[in-house]
Structure formats: C-alpha cells, structure tokens
Amino acid sequence: MAPPTLPQLTRHRACQLWRLTLGTLVSVILFLSWHREQLAPTTAPARPTISALTDGTFIFYFNRSVYEALFPHLQLYRCQEVIARDDLCQGPSRAPLLLLAIKSHPASGNRRATLRRTWAQMAEVGGFRLQPLFLLGATSNQKQLELVALESRVFGDILMWDFMESHHNLSLKERCFLQWVHGHCQRAAFVFKGDDDLFVNPKVLTDYLRRTPNASHFIHGNIQFHSVVMRWGKYAVSRDLYPLDHYPNFASGGGFIMSQLGLAALYRASLELPVFPLDDVYLAFLALAAKIPHRHDKVFRVWGIPKDELSAYQDSISIHGVSMERIEEVWKQLESPPKDFRTSS
C-alpha cells in the first residue's frame, strides 16, 4: 500500500481539528444553556408580586422592571449551595435551638477561628442549645476556597453559596439563608444574625430572650427608624430605583434576632418582593410585607461602645467592630472565675 500523500495528511488533520473544534463548541453551548437555565427560571410558575407597601408613614412602591434593569442578577439568581448543611439542625435536643448565623467572607478564616474559640461554639446556655453557622458566598481565589473546604470538613459549621461575595450580593445571602432555614432548619426557635467582627455574650443573649414578653413576635435589634437614603458612597441608591428619601424601619446588621415564626413569614415574603441591593433594607421590606414589628434595645451595640470597659461586654448582647485580639481577651476575662480577694482570718 502506498504511503499517504501530503494532501491526504492535510485533509486528515483538518478533519481531526474540525471534530475537536465541534466538540469544544458543543461543550460551550451546553454549558451556556445550563447556565442560562440556572439564572432564568423560565419554567417556574409565576409568583405573586407585591407592588406597594405602607408602614403608616410612607408608601413604598416596587417597580419590578426597574429592579430587573438595574440589578438583574439579584432578581434572577437561584440559590445554589456549594457547601451544604442539610443536617445541621437535626437530632434530639432537650433545649430549644438558637442558631448563631454569622455572615463571613472566604478570606476571613482568622476571624472565624477566633469566634470558634470564643462565643461561636456549640453549647447549652440559659436553656438554649447554641449552634454556630457561618454564611459565605464564593470567591475567585482558589486558595481561599480550598481553605474554606478544609474548615468545613473539620468544623462542619459553614454554609456556602455559589454567588460571588460583594456588597450588593449580601442581599442574596439574606434571601438564600431564609430559603435554607425554610428547607432545613425550621426547628430553630430563634436565629441571632450578625457579622464576623462582633463580640456576642451568649448569656446576655439568652437572658434577653427569656425575659422579653412575646419575644417571638418581633425582630429585635438596634432599630434604625426611617433612615435617610444615601445618594453617594458605598450605600448609594439611585432615585430611579428608590425615589423616596427615607427607608422603612430596619434592624442594623450589627446584630439582631429573628424567631421561628418570623422566619417563616419572611421567607414567604421573599417569594413576592424584588431583591433590594442593600441587605438590611431588603430585610426591612420583607418584615413590612410579613407584618413583623421591630423591637429596639440598646443592648445591641452596633456602633461600638464609648469606653472599652469589661462592664460593657458583660451587659451587651452584641458589640460591633471589635478587634479579634480584644474579643479573645474579653472572653478569657468573662470565662475566668471571679477572684476572691478576701483573706482568711
């Protein structure tokens, strides 16, 4: 048999290149099709929508087309867990569950380590079973993702979604957390929600829940009453999206409490309202739709404390913006038995 000629080799290589290119193209098309299905739930049944809410002082209108035009990813995103915690709230317990849901970032491993050594521990305190859970979005940093995966295997206290961490995507963290609680943790009697730069005193937290009448009927925290809308800076919102000059009342993100009853109502509201690009304001609209009132208390120290004294940590549920070193120092002081300066006679 004669060896193949140069034109035959060229045609053979061209066919191989064409098959490779076609295979790659098909893979890309399939991926884009899957990705589009993830973002655009075209087959999902139409959900009821809320076009306006009032708190008795202001009327808040929702132009869904504006939300979709300015923040389409917030409206179209489907909650997809990368690290799931489906069994976290299972198992028998003599005490009601108090979930400590802590917003964190993949890069903040040192903060999470400090909180695990201090107040974010599984424990029974004041008649409640405390369970920490760190809420994370994704990152493009592969090393950080690997460290988070290792943390999850060791501690089992991380819940992570596939949206990218960003300021506006914190609202997705609120919406996806409500969906997760609805699907996997309806046994939680209460949820304390806060950031990973908080000091929390579990004893004061559980004492507060026990002594507050009808605690399950409210969202508890440091309540911002009709806060002024900012048109510049990090928290800027355009008039196209939000023409009013004041927001509804909301609990500052520096630490607040929701109940099992309230979480169910907030989840139902999240199915009807568009996602606002500021997480605390988004939760304010959900609370308004769910008809959940707020309860203000100064034991939620969202602006820090005037003087960094131990007594403030002894009397507060949460203090925002505390350094990790100070959290560990204060925790050791609070956990140490009181010194007895009396001398025996």
Side-chain angles (χ1 to χ4, degrees):
M1 179 180 294
T5 64
L6 183 59
Q8 289 175 323
L9 285 174
T10 302
R11 284 196 299 273
H12 179 69
R13 287 172 182 168
C15 289
Q16 286 181 319
L17 180 60
W18 168 247
R19 284 195 294 269
L20 179 61
T21 302
L22 182 61
T24 302
L25 182 60
V26 169
S27 298
V28 171
I29 291 173
L30 289 173
F31 172 78
L32 290 176
S33 176
W34 172 86
H35 191 61
R36 185 171 58 253
E37 289 176 3
Q38 296 299 305
L39 287 178
T42 55
T43 60
R47 291 172 173 174
T49 59
I50 294 175
S51 58
L53 292 170
T54 181
D55 63 359
T57 302
F58 299 105
I59 300 177
F60 308 97
Y61 294 97
F62 301 96
N63 187 334
R64 194 170 290 270
S65 63
V66 174
Y67 279 79
E68 292 172 351
L70 296 178
F71 294 95
H73 71 289
L74 295 184
Q75 318 311 320
L76 298 175
Y77 175 75
R78 285 183 173 182
C79 300
Q80 180 63 49
E81 295 161 14
V82 177
I83 298 177
R85 288 272 80 91
D86 296 352
D87 59 346
L88 189 76
C89 302
Q90 308 306 315
S93 176
R94 295 169 297 176
L97 175 63
L98 172 54
L99 190 65
L100 306 174
I102 307 154
K103 291 180 289 185
S104 190
H105 188 286
S108 300
N110 289 336
R111 290 187 180 185
R112 292 189 292 277
T114 296
L115 300 193
R116 290 188 187 105
R117 289 192 295 266
T118 55
W119 59 266
Q121 303 179 32
M122 285 190 295
E124 286 204 13
V125 179
F128 288 88
R129 176 167 70 93
L130 272 57
Q131 171 65 61
L133 179 64
F134 293 95
L135 311 178
L136 278 67
T139 176
S140 58
N141 188 310
Q142 188 62 33
K143 182 63 175 178
Q144 291 176 5
L145 292 177
E146 292 171 1
L147 291 174
V148 167
L150 176 61
E151 273 185 71
S152 178
R153 289 194 294 270
V154 173
F155 299 103
D157 60 1
I158 288 177
L159 176 60
M160 185 178 189
W161 295 275
D162 68 352
F163 61 78
M164 299 299 288
E165 286 279 359
S166 71
H167 178 57
H168 289 149
N169 282 356
L170 289 174
S171 295
L172 293 180
K173 198 172 285 190
E174 291 289 350
R175 178 164 69 84
C176 293
F177 174 70
L178 289 172
Q179 179 178 310
W180 178 83
V181 170
H182 177 77
H184 304 290
C185 198
Q186 293 189 26
R187 292 180 56 183
F190 290 95
V191 170
F192 174 86
K193 197 109 181 293
D195 300 328
D196 62 5
D197 60 346
L198 284 178
F199 174 85
V200 175
N201 189 323
K203 183 179 183 302
V204 180
L205 171 58
T206 54
D207 286 348
Y208 175 89
L209 289 174
R210 285 201 318 273
R211 65 178 171 78
T212 301
N214 300 317
S216 62
H217 295 177
F218 300 89
I219 292 176
H220 307 258
N222 191 300
I223 309 305
Q224 309 303 301
F225 296 97
H226 289 147
S227 179
V228 175
V229 178
M230 295 184 182
R231 303 299 180 186
W232 60 89
K234 180 179 179 181
Y235 302 100
V237 172
S238 69
R239 287 196 177 274
D240 289 337
L241 181 74
Y242 191 79
L244 273 69
D245 292 324
H246 295 84
Y247 289 126
N249 301 338
F250 62 84
S252 174
F256 58 94
I257 301 170
M258 302 177 287
S259 72
Q260 180 186 60
L261 182 65
L263 287 161
L266 291 169
Y267 168 72
R268 290 191 296 269
S270 73
L271 301 178
E272 303 182 18
L273 284 174
V275 180
F276 197 83
L278 300 178
D279 57 336
D280 46 10
V281 178
Y282 175 51
L283 192 62
F285 287 128
L286 296 182
L288 199 57
K291 297 180 170 57
I292 304 174
H294 293 86
R295 186 180 187 276
H296 175 81
D297 201 297
K298 63 182 180 181
V299 293
F300 299 88
R301 304 288 194 101
V302 301
W303 312 117
I305 45 179
K307 289 186 178 181
D308 192 359
E309 298 175 341
L310 187 62
S311 59
Y313 297 89
Q314 292 172 321
D315 299 333
S316 303
I317 287 179
S318 59
I319 300 177
H320 197 210
V322 183
S323 72
M324 297 299 106
E325 295 78 13
R326 183 57 175 154
I327 286 177
E328 296 217 58
E329 184 180 82
V330 167
W331 187 257
K332 289 176 182 177
Q333 291 176 325
L334 293 179
E335 291 292 287
S336 299
K339 294 180 180 179
D340 192 347
F341 294 101
R342 294 174 297 178
T343 57
S344 58
S345 56

